[in-house]
Amino acid sequence: MSEKFDLFINGRWIQTDDKLEVLNKHTGKTYAEVSKAGEEEVDQAVKSAQKAYKSNGLSAYDRFEVLKKVSELLQENKEEFALSIVQEAGKPLKQAQTEVDRAAQTFELSAEEAKRLSGHGVPVNAAPGSENRMAFTIKMPVGVVGAISPFNFPLNLVAHKIAPAIAAGNAVVLKPASATPTTALRLARLFEEAGLPAGLLNVVVGSGSTVGKQMQKDERISLYTFTGSAEVGLKIKQNTGLNKLILELGNNSPVIVDKEADVAQAATNIAQKGFAYAGQVCISVQRVYVHESVKKDFQEKLLEAMKELKVGDPNDKDTDVGPMISEDEAKRAEDWVEDAKENGAEVLTGGERKGPLFYPTVLTNVTKNMKVVYDEIFAPVVSLLPYNDLEACIDELNESPYGLQGGIFTKNLDTAFYAARKVEVGGLMINDSSQYRVDLMPYGGVKDSGWGKEGPKYSIDEMTEERLVVMNLEN
Ligand SMILES: NC(=O)c1ccc[n+]([C@@H]2O[C@H](COP(=O)([O-])OP(=O)(O)OC[C@H]3O[C@@H](n4cnc5c(N)ncnc54)[C@H](O)[C@@H]3O)[C@@H](O)[C@H]2O)c1
Ligand SMILES: O=C[C@H](O)CS(=O)(=O)O
């Protein structure tokens, strides 16, 4: 029997006749049946959000309490949420458990930030003619936030949208990814239990081309926060006019293994961070630029470390690499690898597919114009690119249209700081790979990886307006 879920609108659970079937990504069987939103439901969701925002009587302390409570409830219900992620996203259990812990952190951080919302004094009387004036700013919520989230972190990336929006005093309409909507609906249940007033959070499920499109055209929404592919991000930008927009998009993360790297550290790290969740992480290692002098050693150590990876059933507590989100996506990865092979690439390990499972793959003899290097592969495939000259290497890796996060392994401080200044990314990790994130840090990309930062403190800045108040005093 599959589990049933409905839409969450104005504090009520709304059933519709049109159903979305959500598959268990490992077995391919139906895992849940979810009511889909039509035009009427999306309209109601935005209307409720606008009404709730306008009559929102929650103080900053109330918002702190609700968000703190959701954080606690997530910890209490950790197994339920982890299993939900395992089933609908196919994420290996231990990574799903980590996602729940991180989401609890995201809510706790947002709760704390709700208490720190403040403006600042502005010394207007330092301007000639303004001797009798005083001024300060206050942080105001933007109103209704339209949030659209991807499949790969169905809890924590939803948390990164909802929690700061509520902390800032906004109301939210969320459209989760159609492949993984049930975790977001479970989260809405926790908000209900935590006492969030009706309408401040609404969850509408449906495709990007229906629900997503309708949301983009709704003038009652003041700010859009989107995480997903650059392709869809661009469409949203083109459709949302002068509205505020936060875009967290794709990447093809570069990591440099310098001649002065701890090669063993780099190899062990990349064996984990290139393949976890089948590489379906936006900061997963994809391009490894390795100095010629250490390439042989690094390659051997990487292949050795990869023997530790357990591939298979995501329900198994030891699994590192489970299925991709669909067999079609695994086929796409296979096609890209075949295309690279036809053009001279050599497969050092992997390259095989079994249904939605794509085995961890390392390629060498690749060129910069191959899709596996140039585009975002979003699959467990890492390409090795040897270099001799660091400056030329960084120039080449910067040719990528993307710039979310990158990494460099080196014991040389000058090299590390040279890279910090030259690599075009939102965040550079030194002696770590691109795949490092804790939820309090500013997180977001440059170039086609988007703009605007996430991390509760930074999202709250994006999701508020600074209003200036000037007092004209008599003397
Ligand atoms: N930068 C980040 O923080 C970050 C985090 C996670 C994922 N990502 C990126 O997300 C992508 C993978 O996720 P995905 O496959 O779910 O992405 P996607 O772009 O296909 O979908 C993301 C969301 O957009 C919706 N959507 C699709 N078309 C739409 C439209 N026309 N209008 C409005 N909404 C629409 C989808 O239904 C989904 O909810 C990768 O590119 C990955 O790098 C980026
Ligand atoms: O997929 C991209 C996410 O941002 C992953 S994480 O939050 O950095 O783990």
Side-chain angles (χ1 to χ4, degrees), residues 102 152-153 156-157 280-283 437 439 443:
R102 284 186 53 194
N152 64 335
F153 284 76
N156 196 34
L157 291 182
Q280 299 169 117
V281 181
C282 53
I283 44 178
R437 184 181 186 187
D439 296 282
Y443 181 76

Side-chain angles (χ1 to χ4, degrees), residues 409-424:
F409 288 89
T410 182
K411 290 188 218 144
N412 184 319
L413 214 52
D414 283 338
T415 304
F417 279 90
Y418 177 78
R421 280 175 283 132
K422 296 289 178 186
V423 179
E424 295 167 357

Side-chain angles (χ1 to χ4, degrees), residues 84-105:
S84 174
I85 297 169
V86 170
Q87 304 210 55
E88 68 176 1
K91 185 171 287 185
L93 180 62
K94 62 185 170 190
Q95 294 161 21
Q97 287 166 333
T98 303
E99 184 174 348
V100 183
D101 288 338
R102 284 186 53 194
Q105 272 279 311

Side-chain angles (χ1 to χ4, degrees), residues 316-336:
D316 185 326
K317 65 174 181 34
D318 296 321
T319 296
D320 299 290
V321 183
M324 291 187 62
I325 195 68
S326 66
E327 187 163 345
D328 280 352
E329 276 298 289
K331 283 183 180 156
R332 177 191 56 79
E334 191 178 30
D335 287 348
W336 287 25

Side-chain angles (χ1 to χ4, degrees), residues 114-296:
K115 294 204 266 185
R116 294 187 196 124
L117 263 186
S118 62
H120 59 90
V122 181
V124 283
N125 71 348
S130 284
E131 290 77 10
N132 289 338
R133 284 175 210 252
M134 283 176 74
F136 58 90
T137 65
I138 48 176
K139 288 265 184 138
M140 299 300 294
V142 293
V144 178
V145 169
I148 302 181
S149 56
F151 76 81
N152 64 335
F153 284 76
L155 181 60
N156 196 34
L157 291 182
V158 164
H160 270 287
K161 304 207 166 310
I162 299 179
I166 301 279
N170 297 299
V172 184
V173 177
L174 168 77
K175 190 205 92 60
S178 302
T180 56
T182 70
T183 310
L185 291 163
R186 286 182 203 277
L187 187 61
R189 289 180 188 157
L190 300 193
F191 269 102
E192 205 180 11
E193 194 176 336
L196 185 77
L200 286 179
L201 171 64
N202 305 274
V203 185
V204 283
V205 175
S207 73
S209 55
T210 56
V211 175
K213 256 197 176 153
Q214 188 179 339
M215 282 171 69
Q216 287 162 49
K217 293 197 184 119
D218 199 313
E219 289 178 358
R220 296 165 295 182
I221 295 180
S222 312
L223 176 147
Y224 292 90
T225 170
F226 171 77
T227 300
S229 60
E231 189 190 343
V232 175
L234 178 61
K235 281 189 198 161
I236 293 178
K237 180 175 181 287
Q238 286 164 340
N239 286 334
T240 51
L242 294 174
N243 285 25
K244 285 184 104 174
L245 179 60
I246 305 170
L247 291 175
E248 303 289 341
L249 311 177
N251 199 31
N252 55 355
S253 310
V255 174
I256 299 169
V257 182
D258 176 50
K259 58 179 189 262
E260 292 176 77
D262 178 333
V263 171
Q265 180 200 25
T268 321
N269 184 304
I270 293 168
Q272 288 296 330
K273 309 289 181 70
F275 309 102
Y277 189 37
Q280 299 169 117
V281 181
C282 53
I283 44 178
S284 198
V285 181
Q286 179 172 335
R287 298 177 283 155
V288 179
Y289 292 86
V290 53
H291 196 272
E292 285 279 12
S293 62
V294 295
K295 182 174 182 256
K296 187 166 174 289

